[in-house]
Amino acid sequence: LEYLTELNKRTLLTIELGLQTIHEKTSKLINRCHSLEQFNLMVKKLRDRHINVVVHIINGLPYETEEMMLDTIRHINSLDVQGIKIHMLHIIKGTVMANLYLNEPFHILSKDEYIDIVIKQLEILDPKIIVNRITSDPDKDTLLEPTWLIEKCQLLNDIDKEMKKRNTYQGINL
């Protein structure tokens, strides 16, 4: 923290932290290796030093409901963070998550479900929090599921179109 504090005096510094979810049962399943309490404490320590924080979350984690994903956004709103990166869970061949999925299949969000959840998250996301990402770039050669993630530009366009159709924006339902 001392080094980051010094570095922050010399340049614009942003630290990205992987929250993924606020739900401890899911955190254990995905082997996050830190508690929500530890995450919250680190955000506070960084912000006490005026260091910007961007939080990563993952939608579609095994056995999480839409409401659980929205609760993660509500929690982020309670923190002093400057940005968010929203990802869709993607299953990569040969990983522990792939083995779990192949042996105990769980629901993978459809493209339409993902779009709906992201829009609902944006609607309750504090407008002061900058959205740095709404999807990721999985490698098509190693991606097991969901294959619709390969079309990133199409997904971003579909989110934009649906937001216009709903006449909605970030923070509308705060």
Side-chain angles (χ1 to χ4, degrees), residues 100-140:
L100 173 65
Y101 177 69
L102 293 171
N103 293 319
E104 301 173 38
F106 51 86
H107 178 68
I108 300 291
L109 296 177
S110 70
K111 182 179 176 183
D112 288 340
E113 288 173 313
Y114 182 73
I115 290 169
D116 184 58
I117 290 168
V118 166
I119 291 172
K120 288 175 181 174
Q121 288 175 319
L122 293 174
E123 289 174 335
I124 63 170
L125 181 66
D126 187 324
K128 293 182 295 238
I129 299 174
I130 297 167
V131 178
N132 292 212
R133 177 179 291 158
I134 296 182
T135 188
S136 52
D137 296 301
D139 176 50
K140 67 179 181 176

Side-chain angles (χ1 to χ4, degrees), residues 56-173:
H56 289 248
I57 66 166
I58 300 176
N59 287 332
L61 289 167
Y63 316 114
E64 286 212 349
T65 65
E66 176 182 302
E67 194 59 33
M68 292 169 80
M69 292 176 242
L70 295 174
D71 285 342
T72 294
I73 295 295
R74 290 182 187 103
H75 182 76
I76 290 169
N77 282 344
S78 74
L79 303 173
D80 180 17
V81 300
Q82 291 60 57
I84 186 170
K85 289 188 176 182
I86 302 172
H87 303 270
M88 169 60 196
L89 174 70
H90 50 277
I91 311 294
I92 303 299
K93 296 173 187 172
T95 63
V96 172
M97 185 64 69
N99 290 337
L100 173 65
Y101 177 69
L102 293 171
N103 293 319
E104 301 173 38
F106 51 86
H107 178 68
I108 300 291
L109 296 177
S110 70
K111 182 179 176 183
D112 288 340
E113 288 173 313
Y114 182 73
I115 290 169
D116 184 58
I117 290 168
V118 166
I119 291 172
K120 288 175 181 174
Q121 288 175 319
L122 293 174
E123 289 174 335
I124 63 170
L125 181 66
D126 187 324
K128 293 182 295 238
I129 299 174
I130 297 167
V131 178
N132 292 212
R133 177 179 291 158
I134 296 182
T135 188
S136 52
D137 296 301
D139 176 50
K140 67 179 181 176
D141 295 329
T142 60
L143 181 65
L144 184 62
E145 286 288 346
T147 55
W148 54 262
L149 272 176
I150 294 169
E151 302 291 332
K152 180 179 181 178
C153 288
Q154 185 62 51
L155 176 60
L156 294 173
N157 287 336
D158 289 346
I159 291 169
D160 186 52
K161 286 177 193 173
E162 187 63 23
M163 289 188 77
K164 286 179 184 173
K165 179 179 167 186
R166 296 182 191 189
N167 192 30
T168 194
Y169 53 88
Q170 182 179 343
I172 193 173
N173 290 330

